Amino acid sequence: MTAQPPAPAANRWADAGLVSGEAVELDVRAARLGSRVLALLIDLLAQLVVALTLLAGLSVLMLVLPTHVVDAALAGALQTVLLVVVLVGYPVLMERFAGGRTVGKLAVGLRVVRADGGPVGVGQSLTRALVGVAVEWPGLVLPLLSWVASVTVMLADPRGRRLGDLVAGTMVVHTRGAGVWRPVPLAVPTLVGWGHTLDLTRLDDGLALAARQYLGRVHQLVEPERARLGQALWAEIAAVISPPPPWAAPASVYLAAVLAERHRRSVDRLRRTRGLTAALWPELAAPPVAVAAPPPASTGPAASPSVLRPAAPALAVPTQPDPVRGQPAPVDAERPAG
């Protein structure tokens, strides 16, 4: 069985180029411009919240300090410290204590790693943050020109790295899989009638699961292995079901028809079982009833015992005539001695 040939690096899922210690390429995707911009927008909201919180704290501090201490120089110094903490301290501390992730990266599913796939260090996080503040965002040096240069670098780099990543030797990767979900194909209309006549008593769960996995991954296989595996599975299933199909078709069409009929019968069986259970034991199918608070205890003759819901339906006990009293008595009743 052969999988699809490797696609170009620009179209592959595992495009990060990370290799494990056993020389196996890891199935990790490099983060591109779209996901990183989305993470940046979320981080900007988080930084705004941090900035407002710190600003409120500094305002309280300015009110507490003596009047002769508070001046324009102190206010300017505190504002500079605030900007450094928000723009540089926030990403460095988050990447240090959250495993290379900020709030935005956690939400989008991204992570900063070294170029070789190892965990990012504090020095590398600090370098990324300083380069980002200087020439990327907010871009203190030629803002518009630096923004265009940053976007150009990210689009041109095979791993989607920005200037800060190139300088620090890091990259951003996805932490979530990118599997493509494909539903199992349904039975073609011309085989539905044939499926209703099938005898599936000898089709076990393991063989049905193998057929279902084949249909779910058939798009990842190439010819002639795709047809060979489908024919092998259909040969095994055709040996345990009857009657044979009415006309010739690819093996995947037969497999889909058999699985669709098997699923239909399972659904019908479950529906009948639930209907029979509801008929024999209605308490199981009835919705739960809210129990009201019990009334105060009463010792008078008007007090009526509470009605309890039976835990199981009552079973009839077979009886036989009692030889002494001439009345029916339980089978397991004690008989008189001697």
Side-chain angles (χ1 to χ4, degrees):
M1 183 171 58
T2 306
Q4 292 281 8
N11 299 325
R12 295 174 57 193
W13 290 121
D15 57 357
L18 301 180
V19 181
S20 65
E22 292 78 15
V24 177
E25 184 179 6
L26 301 179
D27 187 12
V28 179
R29 293 182 298 148
R32 302 296 175 180
L33 180 63
S35 58
R36 297 189 65 170
V37 169
L38 179 58
L40 176 62
L41 294 177
I42 299 175
D43 281 330
L44 290 178
L45 294 178
Q47 288 176 312
L48 179 61
V49 173
V50 173
L52 293 178
T53 304
L54 294 179
L55 185 60
L58 292 178
S59 300
V60 174
L61 179 62
M62 296 285 287
L63 294 176
V64 173
L65 291 176
T67 309
H68 64 278
V69 176
V70 177
D71 54 4
L74 179 61
L78 292 178
Q79 291 177 2
T80 303
V81 171
L82 177 63
L83 290 177
V84 171
V85 170
V86 172
L87 297 178
V88 179
Y90 166 80
V92 173
L93 293 177
M94 286 295 300
E95 292 176 5
R96 171 63 180 84
F97 295 103
R101 289 165 289 192
T102 58
V103 175
K105 291 181 176 62
L106 281 171
V108 181
L110 305 180
R111 182 180 180 182
V112 182
V113 297
R114 295 201 310 257
D116 58 356
V120 65
V122 178
Q124 293 171 321
S125 297
L126 181 60
T127 302
R128 294 180 74 255
L130 292 177
V131 174
V133 171
V135 298
E136 292 176 330
W137 178 261
L140 303 180
V141 180
L142 300 176
L144 295 178
L145 182 61
S146 62
W147 294 349
V148 174
S150 301
V151 173
T152 304
V153 169
M154 290 185 66
L155 294 177
D157 187 79
R159 299 198 231 179
R161 294 177 294 179
R162 61 179 178 88
L163 292 174
D165 292 322
L166 296 175
V167 174
T170 58
M171 63 178 301
V172 181
V173 297
H174 286 271
T175 58
R176 301 168 185 168
V180 180
W181 181 84
R182 292 187 178 94
V184 174
L186 301 177
V188 295
T190 54
L191 289 179
V192 173
W194 168 70
H196 291 174
T197 64
L198 286 176
D199 179 13
L200 304 178
T201 55
R202 294 190 298 162
L203 180 59
D204 58 1
D205 296 339
L207 188 55
L209 179 61
R212 193 187 186 330
Q213 291 176 342
Y214 167 76
L215 293 178
R217 295 177 173 85
V218 69
H219 302 280
Q220 302 175 359
L221 306 178
V222 296
E223 298 292 351
E225 283 76 10
R226 177 194 302 172
R228 186 182 307 165
L229 180 59
Q231 290 291 343
L233 286 172
W234 169 239
E236 294 185 35
I237 293 180
V240 297
I241 66 173
S242 62
W247 47 274
S252 59
V253 176
Y254 294 145
L255 295 177
V258 172
L259 292 181
E261 177 61 22
R262 191 172 187 267
H263 175 70
R264 186 190 67 82
R265 296 183 185 183
S266 299
V267 172
D268 291 343
R269 190 182 309 113
L270 180 60
R271 186 182 299 112
R272 291 194 304 269
T273 302
R274 289 180 176 176
L276 182 60
T277 303
L280 295 178
W281 197 350
E283 290 82 359
L284 290 180
V289 179
V291 180
S298 176
T299 57
S304 59
S306 58
V307 179
L308 299 179
R309 173 174 142 181
L315 300 177
V317 180
T319 60
Q320 65 182 7
D322 191 345
V324 178
R325 302 180 180 178
Q327 298 178 355
V331 174
D332 56 350
E334 296 183 0
R335 300 183 180 275

